[in-house]
Amino acid sequence: MLGRISGSMGNLVFYQLNGKTVVRQKPGPRKKPSTERQLYQQKAFSIGQKFVTPLRHALNFTMNNKGTSFESGTTRTLSWVIKNAILPEEKIPVLWPERVKISKGWLVGLEEGIAVREGDSIRISWRPNAWQGSGRDEDRLFVIAYAPGSKRVHTLYEGNYRKAGTQLLELPWSEYEIGLVYIYAAFYSQEGFVREFSDSICLGKV
């Protein structure tokens, strides 16, 4: 009835074997259950991605070269977060925002940095340390204020100079989420399109 045919139809496969037409079902996908380690890594990746994604525009600024792809700043930070800021607690991945770094580099960073509320604003202070190692008076402050719960992000791209020792950050939000905003700060220098950063620090939750 079938003659000499070969090929597939629906979930059936036809082929020739010893001069006869043989039919069989297509094999289904082989499903191998994920290991405990794989499940942990999948959860850690998902947690890290949700935390980092709202920061993608700010993280792109921390890349040094003009031609760097848009995603690379986010990808680099996500990799750091998964490796260093997500820790297992009873075999469950937990993210520690205080351990997150939004920039890395060879410039001298903030020393004795603190962030406190002043009404609806946040006052950031540090010890001026120009000419200590790679530090210079003209290094600029870079700040990310991030409320992970609401995904609100406010970025200060051109803050005061290192020598100023203080910066007032005004949040442009109608609800200021007191006690829920993490402050990440770093210094950077710029020549042309190339930026050099310090390692960022988290000044806590204010």
Side-chain angles (χ1 to χ4, degrees), residues 46-195:
S46 177
I47 292 170
Q49 188 177 47
K50 288 178 181 179
F51 184 88
V52 168
T53 297
L55 304 174
R56 60 189 183 277
H57 291 287
L59 295 175
N60 187 50
F61 183 79
T62 68
M63 301 303 293
N64 291 334
N65 298 321
K66 180 184 178 183
T68 305
S69 65
F70 180 84
E71 294 81 9
S72 57
T74 306
T75 301
R76 184 180 65 175
T77 303
L78 177 59
S79 177
W80 168 268
V81 168
I82 292 173
K83 293 177 181 177
N84 301 279
I86 297 180
L87 304 176
E89 294 187 5
E90 297 182 355
K91 299 183 179 181
I92 298 175
V94 176
L95 189 144
W96 291 73
E98 299 87 350
R99 298 173 64 95
V100 172
K101 286 193 179 297
I102 49 86
S103 71
K104 288 187 67 63
W106 55 269
L107 286 184
V108 172
L110 277 77
E111 291 189 352
E112 302 177 15
I114 59 173
V116 295
R117 286 277 181 170
E118 289 188 2
D120 298 332
S121 303
I122 297 173
R123 171 75 63 180
I124 300 172
S125 303
W126 63 90
R127 183 173 69 84
N129 56 350
W131 305 105
Q132 176 183 334
S134 56
R136 298 293 182 268
D137 275 334
E138 62 270 20
D139 295 337
R140 302 297 292 262
L141 185 69
F142 173 76
V143 180
I144 295 178
Y146 182 29
S150 62
K151 307 300 182 185
R152 287 193 176 106
V153 179
H154 176 59
T155 307
L156 178 66
Y157 292 99
E158 295 184 356
N160 289 340
Y161 295 112
R162 183 190 294 266
K163 63 183 180 180
T166 186
Q167 173 75 57
L168 187 64
L169 185 69
E170 297 183 1
L171 300 179
W173 307 331
S174 57
E175 298 177 3
Y176 297 104
E177 303 191 74
I178 296 176
L180 301 176
V181 181
Y182 287 91
I183 303 297
Y184 301 95
F187 286 122
Y188 73 94
S189 64
Q190 181 160 353
E191 293 186 11
F193 294 107
V194 178
R195 303 183 190 99

